[in-house]
Amino acid sequence: MVLDWLPKETKQAIDRLDLALSVYSVPEIDILLSKTVLFRGKKFRPTLCFLMGQALGVPLERLHPYARAAEFVHAATLAHDDVIDESPTRRHRPTLNARSSNARAVLAGDLLLARVMSELASLGQIDIIADLANTVEELVSGEWLQLEARKIARVNRQHLETVSKKKTASLMAWCGGTAARLAGKSQSWVDLGRQFGESLGVAFQMIDDIIDFDPAGEKPFAQDIREGLVNFVTLEMIEARPSLLEPIQRLLGAVSDSPEWPWEASDLEKACSAVRSRADAKLEGAGQILDQLAQPPEANAEAVKALRSILIYLRERVR
Ligand code: FPP
Ligand code: MG
């Protein structure tokens, strides 16, 4: 993530974010996590926690444990996701399951969640912990629904929206809602904070789906189809040209080493551009929420500006 536009103190807080677990009884867990799901991540969710909190006047020190919790929960989902997806690598490095075993990857994820529970419990803010428990439920049900649709080409937009809200956006929504709770705001502000995170999260997923079809992207071209999944771009191609449904159905989860993709370059280009417009609309919605958040006298203009830069950064990822 490009961090140049962050307020200096936010950047420092992110750089200094303590992600050590110190599992004294089993030090191997720390080592494995630090080499995999906690290895130099983008810290996108902690950044969101810090900036949203700052924007609403919460001191950075108070935000730190929640930013840490957001990164730990995210890391836990990745540890479990790589088991579910049987992924050998993540960002060009061997996954936790590949380095150790599926069993250990599941246990390491469980440990991260347990640590989050105990650390947040010690802070005593039950409403935030209850929100997080609901978020974990959303994450699980999102992943579950996605699993149910594996190898099925005939999925609808509602399904993809639901999965992206649960699987990707729910934790970002928690970051936004938590910032508002820590600022002592009313429920309507908490809802606004959550909506900001949710819109951002769905846009994030849509942009990820476009990058999935970038031959120069980080992952192999059309990785979702290789994993048996229809994403926002694939759906758009099928909706525009229904005759693609059958050949894509045959491809799902059964992509050969030198695949012949059934779509034309122009199908893909149009679909990416349609998804880009949908992502832009979500980011626009997030921008409007920021306009409302920026109103009270205590709002920190620099943090709000940095949040706006995140929206631009996401949009520019697929330009
Ligand atoms: C990555 O998706 C996965 C997620 C964002 C969420 C995964 C959620 C779970 C495994 C269930 C909940 C687990 C816990 C520990 C609460 P992806 O496979 O599309 O992206 P990738 O390319 O980064 O793997
Ligand atoms: Mg995955």
Side-chain angles (χ1 to χ4, degrees):
M1 190 164 167
V2 184
L3 296 170
D4 302 344
W5 37 261
L6 284 174
K8 200 165 132 245
E9 64 277 15
T10 321
K11 187 167 175 354
Q12 274 174 359
I14 294 163
D15 289 345
R16 290 181 193 155
L17 185 66
D18 175 14
L19 294 177
L21 272 131
S22 309
V23 187
Y24 296 116
S25 53
V26 195
E28 189 196 351
I29 299 182
D30 265 288
I31 298 168
L32 274 171
L33 285 169
S34 65
K35 285 183 176 168
T36 57
V37 287
L38 289 176
F39 182 78
R40 291 188 204 157
K42 292 191 289 278
K43 299 188 197 158
F44 187 73
R45 291 144 194 87
T47 304
L48 212 54
C49 279
F50 282 129
L51 287 177
M52 285 293 281
Q54 277 183 291
L56 298 174
V58 185
L60 282 167
E61 318 78 72
R62 244 191 113 203
L63 293 164
H64 182 275
Y66 298 94
R68 172 174 155 97
E71 191 63 6
F72 277 3
V73 171
H74 175 58
T77 66
L78 296 185
H80 287 185
D81 179 70
D82 285 335
V83 172
I84 295 169
D85 294 344
E86 299 176 31
S87 302
T89 59
R90 174 172 289 282
R91 293 195 288 123
H92 307 296
R93 294 169 56 83
T95 50
L96 217 165
N97 41 305
R99 280 176 194 264
S100 54
S101 64
N102 281 349
R104 286 182 180 83
V106 170
L107 292 173
D110 290 346
L111 193 129
L112 283 164
L113 289 183
R115 186 59 67 87
V116 167
M117 281 190 256
S118 70
E119 288 184 0
L120 294 195
S122 74
L123 299 170
Q125 196 146 349
I126 294 291
D127 47 359
I128 294 180
I129 300 171
D131 288 346
L132 189 57
N134 289 331
T135 303
V136 170
E137 195 169 323
E138 298 267 288
L139 288 162
V140 171
S141 58
E143 188 77 0
W144 192 288
L145 290 173
Q146 177 171 284
L147 206 53
E148 296 286 299
R150 202 164 262 197
K151 299 200 182 177
I152 298 176
R154 201 183 288 276
V155 301
N156 58 32
R157 185 169 305 283
Q158 184 61 48
H159 162 79
L160 290 187
E161 288 258 350
T162 304
V163 168
S164 66
K165 274 185 192 160
K166 287 171 174 284
K167 188 189 93 163
T168 312
S170 61
L171 189 51
M172 298 184 197
W174 179 79
C175 295
T178 295
R181 287 205 190 281
L182 290 171
K185 299 282 184 192
S186 63
Q187 187 60 42
S188 58
W189 280 83
V190 174
D191 293 343
L192 268 185
R194 289 188 58 82
Q195 277 163 28
F196 176 80
E198 184 174 285
S199 301
L200 198 68
V202 174
F204 190 97
Q205 185 59 59
M206 289 175 169
I207 291 163
D208 237 41
D209 289 359
I210 298 172
I211 294 171
D212 184 55
F213 282 100
D214 179 354
E218 195 176 81
K219 299 182 219 167
F221 181 82
Q223 177 63 17
D224 286 333
I225 289 186
R226 294 173 201 270
E227 289 181 10
L229 298 172
V230 165
N231 69 20
F232 280 110
V233 174
T234 318
L235 172 75
E236 209 74 54
M237 284 201 283
I238 294 171
E239 281 189 343
R241 197 144 74 84
S243 62
L244 285 172
L245 184 75
E246 290 231 339
I248 287 177
Q249 176 65 66
R250 282 195 292 276
L251 271 178
L252 288 181
V255 175
S256 67
D257 286 343
S258 48
E260 279 211 19
W261 305 109
W263 52 79
E264 304 290 333
S266 60
D267 293 323
L268 183 54
E269 210 170 294
K270 275 185 218 149
C272 287
S273 148
V275 176
R276 198 174 296 135
S277 302
R278 291 181 193 279
D280 281 353
K282 293 280 175 196
L283 293 172
E284 178 78 34
Q288 283 163 9
I289 295 169
L290 274 188
D291 294 340
Q292 298 183 54
L293 289 175
Q295 274 170 15
E298 74 271 27
N300 173 328
E302 236 198 322
V304 173
K305 195 170 149 214
L307 285 165
R308 284 196 205 287
S309 316
I310 290 190
L311 306 182
I312 296 165
Y313 162 76
L314 287 181
R315 195 170 290 144
E316 296 304 318
R317 274 182 84 204
V318 284
R319 284 288 176 274

